[in-house]
Amino acid sequence: MESSRTMDVENSSLCNCVVNFLLQENYHLTAFELMHELVEDGHTDQSIRLREFFSDTSLFPPDQISRSSALGVADPQCLLEDKESLEKRLAISDYELRLAQEDILRLKLELQKKHGSIVDLSTDTSIIDTIEASSLDKQPSRNESFYDLGPLKEIERRDLNYAVKEYLLNADYKLTAMAFYEEVTDQNLDVWPKSTSYVSNALRHYYYQYISFTDETTKEKIVLHQECESLLKENERISSEKHALQKNMDLADNQLILLTKSLEATQRDLKDRDMLVQSLMHASEIQRKDLDDCRSQIASLKIHIEKFHSERIFNGTDIERAQPLNPDYYEEETKVLHIDIKNHIEENVSISNSITSSLIKEGNEKNDNGGRHEANKSHFNEPFPGVSDIDKISDVSIHMINPIILEPFKDSCNGKATNDKNSLIHIQESEPLIDDSLLVQSLVHPQGLVTSDKMVLKIIQILSEALPKIVPYVLINHREELLPLMMCAIEYHPEYAVRDSLTHNLFNLIKRPDEKQRRIIMDACVNLSKNVGEMRTETELLPQCWEQINDKYEERRLLVAQSCGELAEFVQPEIRDSLILSIVQQLIEDSATVVREAATHNLAMLLPLFPNLDKYFKVEELMFKLVCDPSGLVVETTITELLPAIIKWGNKLDHILRVLRSHILGSAQRCPPVSGVEGSVDSHLRVLGERERWNVIVLLRMLSHLLPFVYQNAIDTCPFSSSEFSFTTHINSEPLNPFFSTALLELYAREHLEWPAFDWMHVDCFPDLIQLSCLLPTKEDNLRNQITKFLLDVSACYGDDYHTNIMLPVLLLAIGDDANLQYIPSNTQSRIKGLRPKTFVSERLAIMCVLPLLLAGILGAPNKKEQLAEFLRNLLLQKSMSEVSWSVYHPDNLIYAVRFLSMRQEHHEIIFNILWEMVVSSNLDLKIFAANLLKVLVSYTDGKVASTHILPALVTLGSDQNLNVKYASIDAFGSVAQHFKNDMIVDKICVQMDVFLEDGSHEATISVVRALTAAVPHTIDRLRDYLLSKIFQLSSLPTHGNNLLLHREKANVFCEAIRSLDATDLPATSIRDFLLPAAQNLLKEADALDPVHKEALEIIIKERSAGTLEAISKVMGTHLSIPSSMTSFFGESGTRAKKESEDLSEPAALPLEPRPVPPAQQDDTRFRSMIRSNFGGMFKRQTDQEQ
């Protein structure tokens, strides 16, 4: 008695906790259902709060809900009974309360004795009264301390949802639990993740934990927990800061040491440079003075020459007398001056070269001793006049000076001398007066200013400084116009840091360049590489590629991929297969498809530039990785571009074929078997995943693309000369006499010579493909189509003689037939004969897996139609009537093989001609086989073929006297109805079904209904109405005979058909005239119905009979913004119901509905789907397990 009283108090408290949680989390629909179930179970005291909540006029206005009080209104007799029961319960509760108080007092006394503490019994009594009086009064006071913590966390709310669901199921509140499933949409209540909160009877444990602590202890625990968390976070933060500071301090110390060393080295360099510069300036000053003296002497000589020339014109006699002396004199003087000038120039150049070489040598020694900081490096590259990079500056100056500027000076030097044959022409022809470098250095400006290397460098520096500032303000579509200036600055600027910055700007000229813009940038880079040479391309352009490889924009990574293939020509060979290959390898791992495709394309461009084959196997591995890429674009580029490039570069076709075969078989063999039963057929078949299936398909495509290389390799390695056998080359792409002719095959089989390239196809490749096909289930049509395509390509490439004498015998042996192997050498015949199946399971696999390849891939060749018809007729007609009958050629396997052949329309004529012979045959097995085969072939034909071939054959089979043949044709008619919606075809099917039903046999009726039921979701309304009317007629007929099993089978088949039809859009007349009467007729014989079907029929009748909806549920649905299909969950009895909006009969008057519901059929709700899938069984199973 005491334990039952405690259990009632506990259940009441838990129920109140659930009510509070549902109202707090706004699960109003679940709370509403719980109120109904509590009232129905007699727990009116626990439903008080819910009734008060739903009767609140502020939440549910009385003008919108009038039936809410119906739950609490009852007749006087019920009220009297409720009063008496409440009085009894009150008396029992008082008695139980006194007993509980006595027990608690006794326990308190024992506790005081143990701990020596004094407890105020009056306080304890008040606490007990508070706990037992009412959970509604207790919960708010206890929860106030917890609400101070804020709203529930997401994980807490989820745990409480699991606990509430478990409580509702344990308390047998099934409908409430179902409503709770509907309202909680953001988590799966069936799976509770393993955590600390996961316990059995979670809500009860939570409640015990809750009442075991007072507010003070709870607050103290929470405060301590929060302080602990804050201290842990603070400790972690301090530790991380300490670690970061220590790391920064170590880094700063290292940087300080490096900077100190760099500063010392820089100071030494500056001193050395200052000394060198001073000496150079002194030497240059001396040379400049000498050059000025020479120039003045040259100018004076010119003046003297001009004067002499003028005096000669006006005073011819004197000039003639002086002529023998003056030219020689001036010639000698000019030669002396020229020699002096040349000596000065050579001396200047030698001094400059020695100083430059000494500076470079010192810089290299210092770099070898430890390197310098980047800033020092850039500082070292800064030009000093006449010191560093003097040769480059001279070259730049020579190229940058406009020829128009140089021309007048050259004319001034030697132009006027042409007027006199005996003057300076002789000097100019014998030895140039001055070379180009001297012209540049001694260029005289019209205004008298000297144009030197400094002016050229100044122009380049101004351009380099201006370009980065100009580029951002130029429109993107016009930035390519800046490329010539940028290339010029990069090519001629002497400082590495500036060139690196400009090169970076060149690659980043456009943020996301399109294909045309990338082409422009790439052309600029190629031209720049041609001009600057290999060294600068490696040190300046390639680092930019490496920096852009992880850019967030795929267009920039695409630019890097393109540069790898196009810049490889301008770098050293050892860089191509190291640095550039590593860049391409990283781009192959890119997430963007276009980047991987570009990397594949450029890898194909890069291979011919490799200096050796050291990286061959690495490249081959990359190729196989790319060919299995999930993107079809990458696969296509790999097969069409990279594969031929690798074959041409590496010349290792045999190795590629060997690896390819292992990859194809390995991809399928690694998959799990269909069945784990050892020795069965399914244990040999594999379940291929999407990835494995894709890999096999692309590898077979790769094998097809390798076929021309294999064919050419076989021709190139032929051990016989063309004179030993007749062979005519191709004319207009049509071989008059193929290479692998019968004469060559006979010669090869007779001579016993080694020809591995030729043997590879039928000794290695075909057995591997046969082994692969024996691993594929019947549903893998795509893979078999790929194998078939390869076989057809081999037949077209190698010729008809090879097809007839080699391919056909190999495949015939693989299915267990006899074959002629006279054209195959004896040393390889043993391997070919090993393909013959030796066990019963292998025979089944051969017929199931290899026979489709023989029919479609060998005999299905365009010029083998007669052989195909003969073989298929022999297979289906003659062998089937032999003694072995179907012992080896199983009907299902033959049907699959013919179905696979029918996937190509060019074979339909042959198939249907043979099928018609089977239909008119006297063999019953053949007729049944023909009906089953027609059923399968329907999905691979069109309406015209179905009308002209399939339906006449089925009508003929349907009129057969043998019942098995007739019933087999019924299933085929159902397949036709499932695939074609043509009115003429549907009419023919209906007429034939009437003929079957007129037979009146039980088997015919069952077969017709099942065949048409399978077509219901796919056919038209006309056939659905036909089936519905027939079910109504057949269900209305009286039952004859006492065979309960047959009667139950028919009733269940009719129920399945009605349920299938109910899931479609039926017109209102069909529902009223056929669906509801048929369902009612079936319910009259409830003993013959399966309980599941009976429940489904009751639901269909209730939903389709236009019953009224609960007004209160509609109001709740409107208030809570629940869809209309969710507002009719509860009826008066507490069960769910869905109102169909089509009015099949006069609806009952609704007091709260201002206008009738429009006749529009609503979609099925999730609740309806759960009911139809026997969702209630879940609760029954769970209750049984707990019991």
Side-chain angles (χ1 to χ4, degrees):
M1 182 67 180
E2 183 178 352
S3 61
S4 62
R5 181 176 69 254
T6 306
M7 185 65 69
D8 291 338
V9 174
E10 176 184 313
N11 291 336
S12 177
S13 301
L14 291 177
C15 183
N16 289 331
C17 292
V18 171
V19 169
N20 291 336
F21 175 74
L22 294 177
L23 295 180
Q24 175 186 343
E25 296 298 322
N26 293 329
Y27 295 142
H28 293 167
L29 197 59
T30 306
F32 186 74
E33 183 60 36
L34 180 60
M35 179 185 70
H36 278 276
E37 291 198 335
L38 288 174
V39 171
E40 290 175 0
D41 292 345
H43 301 300
T44 55
D45 54 337
Q46 299 176 10
S47 64
I48 294 175
R49 186 177 180 189
L50 290 173
R51 295 177 60 177
E52 291 177 353
F53 176 78
F54 287 109
S55 61
D56 189 356
T57 57
S58 61
L59 298 176
F60 306 98
D63 57 338
Q64 297 182 10
I65 176 169
S66 62
R67 298 185 62 189
S68 59
S69 59
L71 294 173
V73 177
D75 56 343
Q77 183 64 29
C78 294
L79 292 175
L80 181 60
E81 292 176 357
D82 292 341
K83 181 180 179 182
E84 292 175 356
S85 62
L86 288 174
E87 289 177 353
K88 291 179 180 180
R89 291 182 180 179
L90 181 61
I92 294 172
S93 298
D94 291 339
Y95 176 74
E96 292 174 350
L97 179 61
R98 287 195 301 272
L99 292 177
Q101 290 176 352
E102 293 174 0
D103 294 339
I104 291 173
L105 290 175
R106 178 172 53 81
L107 292 174
K108 290 293 182 180
L109 291 174
E110 293 177 358
L111 186 62
Q112 288 177 2
K113 292 177 181 179
K114 289 182 179 180
H115 297 280
S117 61
I118 301 174
V119 181
D120 189 356
L121 296 179
S122 61
T123 304
D124 294 337
T125 305
S126 63
I127 293 174
I128 295 169
D129 293 337
T130 304
I131 295 175
E132 298 293 340
S134 174
S135 177
L136 295 174
D137 297 331
K138 175 180 177 296
Q139 290 295 335
S141 63
R142 291 299 301 265
N143 289 339
E144 288 176 358
S145 61
F146 292 98
Y147 287 162
D148 294 339
L149 300 175
L152 285 174
K153 297 179 181 178
E154 183 62 20
I155 188 172
E156 295 174 349
R157 185 182 65 79
R158 288 177 176 272
D159 290 336
L160 287 175
N161 285 340
Y162 289 123
V164 170
K165 184 266 299 185
E166 183 183 28
Y167 166 78
L168 293 175
L169 293 179
N170 293 336
D172 204 22
Y173 296 144
K174 298 178 181 178
L175 295 176
T176 305
M178 295 168 70
F180 192 65
Y181 267 86
E182 292 292 329
E183 284 197 296
V184 179
T185 59
D186 57 346
Q187 68 183 101
N188 185 6
L189 295 177
D190 293 328
V191 180
W192 193 346
K194 299 296 183 180
S195 62
T196 55
S197 59
Y198 175 75
V199 291
S200 180
N201 294 326
L203 194 62
R204 181 180 297 174
H205 284 79
Y206 296 166
Y207 180 73
Y208 287 162
Q209 189 71 14
Y210 171 74
I211 64 175
S212 64
F213 295 100
T214 61
D215 290 343
E216 290 77 13
T217 57
T218 304
K219 288 181 179 179
E220 185 176 356
K221 268 193 170 184
I222 293 172
V223 170
L224 290 175
H225 183 68
Q226 292 177 349
E227 290 179 356
C228 182
E229 288 182 351
S230 63
L231 290 175
L232 288 175
K233 291 179 180 178
E234 184 68 20
N235 189 14
E236 292 177 357
R237 185 183 62 82
I238 292 173
S239 299
S240 61
E241 289 180 356
K242 180 181 177 182
H243 182 69
L245 289 174
Q246 184 65 30
K247 188 175 181 181
N248 291 335
M249 186 173 65
D250 296 338
L251 182 62
D253 293 337
N254 295 333
Q255 290 179 352
L256 183 60
I257 294 171
L258 293 176
L259 288 174
T260 303
K261 293 180 180 179
S262 177
L263 181 60
E264 293 174 357
T266 304
Q267 290 175 353
R268 289 194 299 269
D269 291 341
L270 288 176
K271 290 180 181 179
D272 297 336
R273 282 169 179 257
D274 290 337
M275 296 174 63
L276 290 173
V277 167
Q278 289 176 3
S279 63
L280 182 61
M281 290 177 66
H282 181 69
S284 299
E285 188 68 23
I286 295 173
Q287 294 174 6
R288 190 177 296 109
K289 291 180 180 180
D290 295 337
L291 288 173
D292 292 338
D293 295 337
C294 292
R295 290 192 187 102
S296 62
Q297 292 179 10
I298 291 173
S300 63
L301 286 174
K302 288 182 179 179
I303 295 172
H304 287 296
I305 291 172
E306 291 293 331
K307 288 181 179 181
F308 176 77
H309 185 67
S310 60
E311 291 174 359
R312 180 183 175 187
I313 294 173
F314 293 104
N315 197 0
T317 58
D318 296 333
I319 294 174
E320 289 176 358
R321 286 193 297 267
Q323 188 174 2
L325 298 176
N326 290 334
D328 296 337
Y329 173 77
Y330 287 113
E331 182 178 352
E332 293 176 358
E333 291 292 331
T334 304
K335 287 183 179 180
V336 172
L337 290 175
H338 174 68
I339 293 172
D340 293 338
I341 293 172
K342 190 173 182 180
N343 291 333
H344 284 298
I345 292 173
E346 291 177 354
E347 184 180 358
N348 186 12
V349 171
S350 62
I351 293 173
S352 301
N353 290 335
S354 62
I355 295 173
T356 304
S357 60
S358 62
L359 287 175
I360 294 173
K361 184 177 181 181
E362 291 177 3
N364 292 332
E365 291 176 355
K366 293 178 181 179
N367 288 333
D368 294 336
N369 292 332
R372 294 185 178 180
H373 195 267
E374 188 65 25
N376 296 334
K377 183 179 179 181
S378 63
H379 180 72
F380 179 80
N381 289 330
E382 292 181 359
F384 289 92
V387 180
S388 64
D389 294 339
I390 190 165
D391 296 330
K392 295 182 180 179
I393 295 173
S394 301
D395 295 337
V396 170
S397 302
I398 293 170
H399 290 292
M400 291 298 295
I401 296 300
N402 197 319
I404 299 175
I405 301 176
L406 295 176
E407 191 65 28
F409 183 73
K410 291 181 180 179
D411 293 340
S412 66
C413 293
N414 53 20
K416 293 180 180 180
T418 58
N419 295 328
D420 194 348
K421 298 181 180 179
N422 298 322
S423 62
L424 294 178
I425 296 177
H426 178 71
I427 301 174
Q428 185 71 20
E429 291 176 352
S430 62
E431 184 177 1
L433 179 64
I434 189 168
D435 57 0
D436 288 340
S437 60
L438 184 58
L439 288 176
V440 174
Q441 294 177 4
S442 60
L443 181 62
V444 179
H445 196 270
Q447 284 80 13
L449 300 177
V450 177
T451 303
S452 64
D453 296 340
K454 293 183 180 179
M455 181 175 293
V456 178
L457 291 175
K458 187 174 182 181
I459 295 172
I460 296 297
Q461 290 176 352
I462 293 173
L463 183 61
S464 302
E465 293 175 357
L467 279 175
K469 301 176 183 178
I470 295 174
V471 169
Y473 298 98
V474 178
L475 294 177
I476 294 178
N477 294 332
H478 296 281
R479 288 184 182 177
E480 60 268 16
E481 298 176 5
L482 298 175
L483 286 175
L485 297 176
M486 192 172 293
M487 291 171 59
C488 181
I490 295 173
E491 183 177 352
Y492 294 114
H493 201 285
E495 296 183 16
Y496 172 80
V498 177
R499 295 199 305 269
D500 183 71
S501 177
L502 291 174
T503 307
H504 180 76
N505 292 334
L506 174 62
F507 271 86
N508 294 272
L509 188 64
I510 300 172
K511 189 174 184 180
R512 303 184 68 175
D514 56 20
E515 184 176 359
K516 181 180 178 182
Q517 293 167 341
R518 288 196 301 270
R519 184 69 267 161
I520 294 173
I521 296 175
M522 206 65 256
D523 290 341
C525 293
V526 170
N527 292 330
L528 185 61
S529 297
K530 291 179 181 178
N531 296 333
V532 301
E534 293 181 351
M535 187 60 66
R536 285 184 58 181
T537 301
E538 296 171 7
T539 58
E540 297 179 12
L541 289 180
L542 287 186
Q544 296 297 331
C545 295
W546 191 262
E547 290 178 2
Q548 302 282 336
I549 198 170
N550 292 321
D551 195 274
K552 64 178 179 179
Y553 297 115
E554 63 181 34
E555 291 84 359
R556 307 213 54 76
R557 304 197 301 274
L558 192 59
L559 183 64
V560 175
Q562 293 177 353
S563 65
C564 290
E566 300 190 22
L567 296 181
E569 182 181 355
F570 307 102
V571 299
Q572 297 179 10
E574 56 270 15
I575 299 296
R576 298 168 188 167
D577 59 356
S578 58
L579 177 60
I580 297 181
L581 182 59
S582 64
I583 295 175
V584 174
Q585 185 176 2
Q586 187 168 348
L587 290 172
I588 288 173
E589 305 289 341
D590 198 274
S591 59
T593 300
V594 292
V595 177
R596 299 198 302 274
E597 190 270 337
T600 305
H601 171 74
N602 285 274
L603 179 58
M605 296 174 57
L606 188 64
L607 293 180
L609 303 176
F610 282 0
N612 48 52
L613 298 179
D614 293 343
K615 301 291 184 179
Y616 173 79
F617 294 104
K618 183 177 182 180
V619 174
E620 185 183 274
E621 182 182 356
L622 291 176
M623 179 192 66
F624 279 102
K625 184 177 182 180
L626 287 168
V627 83
C628 296
D629 191 271
S631 172
L633 181 63
V634 178
V635 173
E636 187 66 24
T637 304
T638 304
I639 292 177
T640 57
E641 297 183 18
L642 183 58
L643 178 61
I646 290 180
I647 295 175
K648 183 178 180 181
W649 167 60
N651 195 20
K652 294 182 182 294
L653 179 62
D654 295 340
H655 187 267
I656 292 177
L657 293 173
R658 185 166 58 253
V659 176
L660 177 60
R661 286 166 43 217
S662 65
H663 276 48
I664 292 175
L665 286 177
S667 299
Q669 290 172 345
R670 284 191 295 268
C671 297
V674 174
S675 173
V677 180
E678 188 68 25
S680 63
V681 175
D682 290 340
S683 64
H684 292 78
L685 304 178
R686 295 294 186 266
V687 180
L688 272 68
E690 291 296 330
R691 185 64 179 174
E692 290 78 11
R693 184 179 297 106
W694 171 257
N695 289 346
V696 176
I697 289 175
V698 296
L699 291 173
L700 289 173
R701 285 183 56 197
M702 180 179 175
L703 181 62
S704 298
H705 280 77
L706 285 173
L707 182 59
F709 299 98
V710 176
Y711 176 75
Q712 189 61 41
N713 186 34
I715 293 177
D716 295 340
T717 58
C718 179
F720 308 104
S721 62
S722 58
S723 60
E724 299 181 46
F725 61 95
S726 59
F727 170 66
T728 305
T729 57
H730 291 215
I731 300 178
N732 296 328
S733 300
E734 293 292 336
L736 298 181
N737 190 9
F739 184 84
F740 299 105
S741 61
T742 305
L744 177 61
L745 297 178
E746 289 179 351
L747 182 63
Y748 178 53
R750 185 175 60 252
E751 294 295 333
H752 304 289
L753 297 178
E754 295 292 334
W755 195 0
F758 173 74
D759 292 338
W760 179 86
M761 184 62 70
H762 54 272
V763 175
D764 295 326
C765 182
F766 288 166
D768 285 346
L769 293 180
I770 292 171
Q771 183 180 356
L772 173 65
S773 65
C774 292
L775 297 174
L776 303 178
T778 56
K779 65 179 181 179
E780 297 293 346
D781 290 336
N782 290 334
L783 293 177
R784 280 199 172 81
N785 276 326
Q786 198 67 37
I787 300 175
T788 302
K789 183 178 180 300
F790 174 76
L791 294 176
L792 293 175
D793 292 342
V794 173
S795 176
C797 182
Y798 279 62
D800 185 67
D801 294 338
Y802 182 85
H803 174 275
T804 304
N805 299 318
I806 302 295
M807 296 180 66
L808 183 60
V810 171
L811 270 294
L812 286 175
L813 282 175
I815 66 170
D817 278 4
D818 296 329
N820 183 12
L821 301 179
Q822 64 174 351
Y823 295 99
I824 299 177
S826 57
N827 56 347
T828 58
Q829 285 186 9
S830 58
R831 298 184 61 182
I832 302 298
K833 292 179 181 179
L835 298 175
R836 183 189 295 272
K838 300 177 178 60
T839 62
F840 178 76
V841 174
S842 61
E843 290 177 355
R844 288 283 306 273
L845 285 173
I847 300 302
M848 180 190 303
C849 304
V850 184
L851 180 60
L853 301 182
L854 174 63
L855 294 177
I858 304 299
L859 299 175
N863 56 346
K864 300 294 180 181
K865 290 185 178 181
E866 295 180 359
Q867 295 183 12
L868 174 62
E870 181 182 357
F871 182 85
L872 199 59
R873 184 177 290 104
N874 180 51
L875 180 66
L876 298 180
L877 295 176
Q878 298 178 10
K879 288 190 177 181
S880 61
M881 293 185 291
S882 62
E883 296 179 358
V884 295
S885 186
W886 302 109
S887 60
V888 177
Y889 295 95
H890 302 277
D892 294 339
N893 299 335
L894 289 176
I895 288 175
Y896 169 71
V898 178
R899 179 196 68 82
F900 184 77
L901 179 65
S902 68
M903 295 176 68
R904 298 178 179 270
Q905 293 185 358
E906 58 266 22
H907 302 143
H908 285 180
E909 183 179 357
I910 298 174
I911 295 173
F912 284 112
N913 289 337
I914 298 175
L915 270 176
W916 188 254
E917 296 180 16
M918 299 174 67
V919 169
V920 298
S921 173
S922 60
N923 191 314
L924 296 180
D925 291 335
L926 280 181
K927 292 182 178 181
I928 296 174
F929 179 79
N932 295 331
L933 185 56
L934 287 169
K935 177 183 176 182
V936 174
L937 297 181
V938 167
S939 58
Y940 299 96
T941 59
D942 53 12
K944 182 179 179 180
V945 175
S947 300
T948 57
H949 292 85
I950 296 180
L951 283 179
L954 290 178
V955 171
T956 304
L957 293 173
S959 60
D960 196 271
Q961 298 300 322
N962 186 273
L963 295 180
N964 293 328
V965 177
K966 182 181 296 186
Y967 298 154
S969 66
I970 293 175
D971 294 336
F973 273 111
S975 179
V976 175
Q978 185 175 353
H979 288 88
F980 298 104
K981 300 181 180 180
N982 186 280
D983 291 337
M984 182 183 66
I985 295 177
V986 171
D987 290 340
K988 291 182 180 180
I989 293 173
C990 293
V991 171
Q992 190 63 32
M993 292 301 177
D994 287 334
V995 175
F996 292 141
L997 292 175
E998 288 176 359
D999 184 20
S1001 65
H1002 173 78
E1003 291 79 5
T1005 303
I1006 296 299
S1007 299
V1008 169
V1009 174
R1010 282 179 175 170
L1012 296 182
T1013 300
V1016 163
H1018 311 284
T1019 188
I1020 59 178
D1021 294 338
R1022 194 170 182 179
L1023 189 61
R1024 292 172 187 157
D1025 294 340
Y1026 171 80
L1027 175 61
L1028 193 57
S1029 62
K1030 292 301 178 182
I1031 293 174
F1032 169 67
Q1033 295 175 8
L1034 295 172
S1035 63
S1036 301
L1037 296 177
T1039 304
H1040 300 287
N1042 297 324
N1043 194 333
L1044 182 60
L1045 294 178
L1046 297 179
H1047 183 50
R1048 181 172 297 173
E1049 182 183 8
K1050 182 186 293 186
N1052 290 331
V1053 170
F1054 288 169
C1055 288
E1056 291 175 358
I1058 289 176
R1059 294 178 66 181
S1060 179
L1061 289 166
D1062 180 60
T1064 61
D1065 296 331
L1066 296 174
T1069 55
S1070 299
I1071 295 174
R1072 182 181 63 247
D1073 298 338
F1074 301 117
L1075 180 66
L1076 293 177
Q1080 292 171 357
N1081 291 337
L1082 292 174
L1083 285 177
K1084 292 178 182 178
E1085 302 175 359
D1087 296 339
L1089 289 176
D1090 187 89
V1092 177
H1093 291 321
K1094 180 180 178 183
E1095 183 180 0
L1097 289 176
E1098 291 175 351
I1099 294 174
I1100 291 173
I1101 293 175
K1102 189 169 185 179
E1103 292 176 347
R1104 295 286 192 174
S1105 60
T1108 59
L1109 292 175
E1110 299 274 338
I1112 184 171
S1113 299
K1114 284 189 175 182
V1115 173
M1116 284 185 60
T1118 304
H1119 178 70
L1120 299 175
S1121 299
I1122 301 175
S1124 60
S1125 60
M1126 299 287 291
T1127 58
S1128 57
F1129 278 163
F1130 307 105
E1132 292 182 0
S1133 61
T1135 60
R1136 291 186 177 180
K1138 175 182 180 291
K1139 177 185 175 183
E1140 293 290 342
S1141 58
E1142 292 183 334
D1143 296 328
L1144 306 180
S1145 60
E1146 193 68 20
L1150 297 177
L1152 295 178
E1153 286 289 315
R1155 56 181 180 273
V1157 180
Q1161 186 176 0
Q1162 299 177 353
D1163 296 335
D1164 289 351
T1165 61
R1166 291 178 59 193
F1167 174 74
R1168 178 176 178 180
S1169 301
M1170 287 189 294
I1171 287 296
R1172 291 190 176 184
S1173 61
N1174 199 15
F1175 182 75
M1178 181 188 69
F1179 299 104
K1180 295 178 181 178
R1181 290 192 297 269
Q1182 183 169 358
T1183 305
D1184 295 338
Q1185 291 175 0
E1186 293 176 355
Q1187 291 178 354

